[in-house]
Amino acid sequence: MKTRYLLVVCVLFVLADLGCTFVQYNRMVLDGDLTAIVLPAPHYAAVLHDPFGWAVLAKNEVYAAPNRFFAHASMAAYFRLVPGWLHAFLTPIASLYAAAAIFSVLVQALLLYVLAVYATGTGQLSSWRLWLVMALLAPFFQAQGYAGEMAIIPQAISYTFFYPWPLLLLLVWLLPFYRLAQGQPWRLSALGMVASLGLLLVLAFNGPIIPGVVAVLLLGIGVRRLSQRAGGPAPLVPHWQPALLLALLGLLCAYSLYIGRNNAENLEHTRTLWERYQLLPMGVFKQLTGKLGMPLLVVVCLGNAYLLRRWAAPTPENRRIRLVLRWVGWFALAYVLLLPLGGYRTYRPYLLRFDSISPITLGLIFFYALSACYLLQNLAGRARIAYAVGVAAVFFVYANADRKLQVADGNDCERAALTQLAWAPANQPVVHLDQNCTVLSWNLITDPATSATNAAMLEQWGITQGSKQYYH
């Protein structure tokens, strides 16, 4: 009976949280990369015609995003179709913002679910443990609050397609390997094998983050296998299927990194490799000394590890959970040390930012939810009550930080500017905007010609009558 009530409470909270998240993301401004990718702009056309970077391999050509085809293609397909589908219910302007918010919430919901499946071992929606883990995870998904340090779903919709979306796909792909590492049998049907092979291509050519994550994971698997060999003959991957899949993923990601060297966008930012490594300490310092979100997350993870060791019974499950934190820690260290190899961007002055460290953030919140769920079930008496109060306090801190539905610097001004463009006469090809805010751009547009891509996309979305360039 108690678990039934707990299930209802957790389900209602998670759904309410997702509803609030939709309201928040529906009020976010549209970023400056959206139309360039969806139309696409001339500098992004090459990647859509060369999915696997053959021009780089054969001709040493240099162009934008040669190893990011699937991120560009999925984003272009989504924003060419979904806003139009929503026209049956919403105005063209409202449809555009709603489409962005729907995708953000969908990715967040799926990440909550997949992480809970990892933590509980079940995907049954009737499981109270599954929903408890999802409820424990939900407050860490910050749309505002601590988003500047630890956002998993970025405020900029373009970044959602390049960071959390491919990470979600990677987590789905890795689930059979995780279960195998937990001692469960390898289960992948012939159809599942074909799907995994197809997803390999999507992962390897889906943005800047997956090859780096895979490199660290394979390094960890290699180290683990060497340690097992030192202790005995048992291999980490005893079946040919997982060994083949891991090898193929590693090779494809290595190829992706190779052709990524010819990314024209990297040539716009000049920092030597040594200079980038010199920036790392300050980047780590700023992440851990900014707002409360990230340092508190690290502290509560370490606190849970201490409680597991000191308060909980030393069961195999206890040791396994503590081992998860150890691996997350080693992953974080190796991943941060590899970050300078990915190039430099002026908007990430110290390399570490919420988007570039999102794999680490996911690992930390996963351990927290996994360990908290275990402690809540296995501590007894006053210890359980005291710990439950602590969990409630952590829950409150993050939920309170992200409580506001009204978005600071939201999209009211941008919506007004789009409305002005929508109502502009058909014979007016250039519009001077009354509003002093960005409109589908990173900066204010002072030259109408620079809005040509935006104007063409606004016409396709049915927002304007004809192509209307604009300026501030």
Side-chain angles (χ1 to χ4, degrees):
M1 184 64 70
K2 291 182 180 180
T3 58
R4 183 182 303 173
Y5 288 136
L6 180 61
L7 172 63
V8 171
V9 170
C10 290
V11 169
L12 290 177
F13 170 76
V14 171
L15 295 180
D17 181 75
L18 291 173
C20 292
T21 299
F22 174 83
V23 173
Q24 291 173 312
Y25 282 100
N26 195 44
R27 294 174 175 173
M28 302 288 184
V29 297
L30 298 170
D31 64 80
D33 290 335
L34 176 60
T35 59
I37 293 173
V38 176
L39 186 62
H43 60 283
Y44 282 138
V47 64
L48 292 175
H49 293 93
D50 189 8
F52 306 117
W54 300 125
V56 174
L57 197 63
K59 305 175 185 178
N60 199 31
E61 289 189 6
V62 177
Y63 55 91
N67 60 345
R68 304 179 185 184
F69 168 78
F70 288 101
H72 281 253
S74 59
M75 185 172 169
Y78 182 86
F79 276 101
R80 287 173 187 167
L81 295 173
V82 176
W85 295 343
L86 295 176
H87 286 181
F89 313 99
L90 302 168
T91 65
I93 294 175
S95 297
L96 185 55
Y97 290 102
I102 288 170
F103 188 77
S104 295
V105 172
L106 178 64
V107 173
Q108 177 168 323
L110 290 174
L111 277 172
L112 287 172
Y113 176 75
V114 172
L115 288 173
V117 171
Y118 270 83
T120 63
T122 180
Q124 296 293 324
L125 291 176
S126 59
S127 169
W128 66 269
R129 290 182 178 85
L130 181 84
W131 285 99
L132 175 60
V133 171
M134 292 173 69
L136 290 170
L137 288 167
F140 294 104
F141 284 74
Q142 299 276 299
Q144 298 189 89
Y146 304 131
E149 291 73 35
M150 57 180 295
I152 296 170
I153 309 298
Q155 295 180 352
I157 185 61
S158 297
Y159 282 70
T160 304
F161 280 87
F162 284 80
Y163 289 89
W165 172 240
L167 285 173
L168 169 63
L169 297 178
L170 180 62
L171 285 171
V172 172
W173 190 85
L174 287 173
L175 186 56
F177 296 90
Y178 182 78
R179 288 172 171 165
L180 180 64
Q182 302 306 311
Q184 299 180 35
W186 174 260
R187 294 174 181 171
L188 198 63
S189 64
L191 182 60
M193 187 69 176
V194 172
S196 293
L197 290 171
L199 194 53
L200 283 176
L201 291 173
V202 176
L203 289 169
F205 301 93
N206 205 342
I209 202 164
I210 295 301
V213 172
V214 169
V216 177
L217 289 176
L218 292 181
L219 175 63
I221 291 173
V223 170
R224 177 66 173 164
R225 183 162 186 176
L226 287 175
S227 66
Q228 284 186 329
R229 281 187 173 180
L236 180 65
V237 182
H239 305 289
W240 69 269
Q241 282 188 346
L244 173 64
L245 289 172
L246 288 172
L248 288 175
L249 180 61
L251 289 172
L252 286 172
C253 285
Y255 172 72
S256 176
L257 289 171
Y258 176 79
I259 64 173
R261 300 182 311 159
N262 284 35
N263 186 355
E265 294 170 313
N266 289 343
L267 304 180
E268 301 171 6
H269 312 278
T270 55
R271 286 271 189 177
T272 66
L273 183 60
W274 174 238
E275 287 174 334
R276 282 175 254 156
Y277 271 103
Q278 289 179 304
L279 295 172
L280 273 185
M282 181 58 68
V284 174
F285 176 79
K286 285 184 173 294
Q287 284 298 131
L288 295 177
T289 58
K291 290 186 177 181
L292 182 62
M294 183 56 74
L296 178 60
L297 177 58
V298 173
V299 168
V300 296
C301 285
L302 294 175
N304 277 5
Y306 175 82
L307 295 177
L308 286 168
R309 179 180 290 273
R310 297 297 182 184
W311 286 14
T315 63
E317 181 69 6
N318 184 328
R319 290 190 289 272
R320 182 185 72 82
I321 294 174
R322 285 188 282 120
L323 184 62
V324 169
L325 180 61
R326 187 182 305 171
W327 280 108
V328 169
W330 284 115
F331 172 87
L333 176 62
Y335 180 81
V336 168
L337 290 176
L338 286 178
L339 274 180
L341 300 178
Y344 181 79
R345 295 288 190 276
T346 54
Y347 50 81
R348 292 193 199 99
Y350 299 104
L351 301 181
L352 276 74
R353 199 176 71 157
F354 67 90
D355 48 2
S356 63
I357 65 165
S358 54
I360 298 173
T361 307
L362 282 173
L364 288 172
I365 68 170
F366 168 71
F367 170 77
Y368 171 77
L370 176 68
S371 56
C373 188
Y374 179 86
L375 288 168
L376 287 170
Q377 293 178 74
N378 289 276
L379 293 178
R382 292 182 178 179
R384 176 184 290 180
I385 295 173
Y387 183 72
V389 171
V391 169
V394 172
F395 186 96
F396 174 78
V397 168
Y398 288 94
N400 181 63
D402 200 33
R403 70 187 184 279
K404 294 181 180 179
L405 297 181
Q406 191 63 39
V407 175
D409 300 323
N411 60 29
D412 290 344
C413 179
E414 186 179 45
R415 285 178 184 255
L418 292 177
T419 301
Q420 181 183 348
L421 288 169
W423 284 94
N427 60 354
Q428 185 180 355
V430 178
V431 179
H432 177 254
L433 296 177
D434 299 329
Q435 294 76 19
N436 191 35
C437 58
T438 59
V439 179
L440 292 164
S441 60
W442 296 112
N443 303 295
L444 294 178
I445 294 175
T446 56
D447 179 6
T450 61
S451 71
T453 299
N454 294 351
M457 203 64 240
L458 289 172
E459 181 184 9
Q460 288 193 24
W461 280 323
I463 293 175
T464 60
Q465 301 176 34
S467 178
K468 295 189 183 303
Q469 297 182 13
Y470 57 89
Y471 66 101
H472 298 87

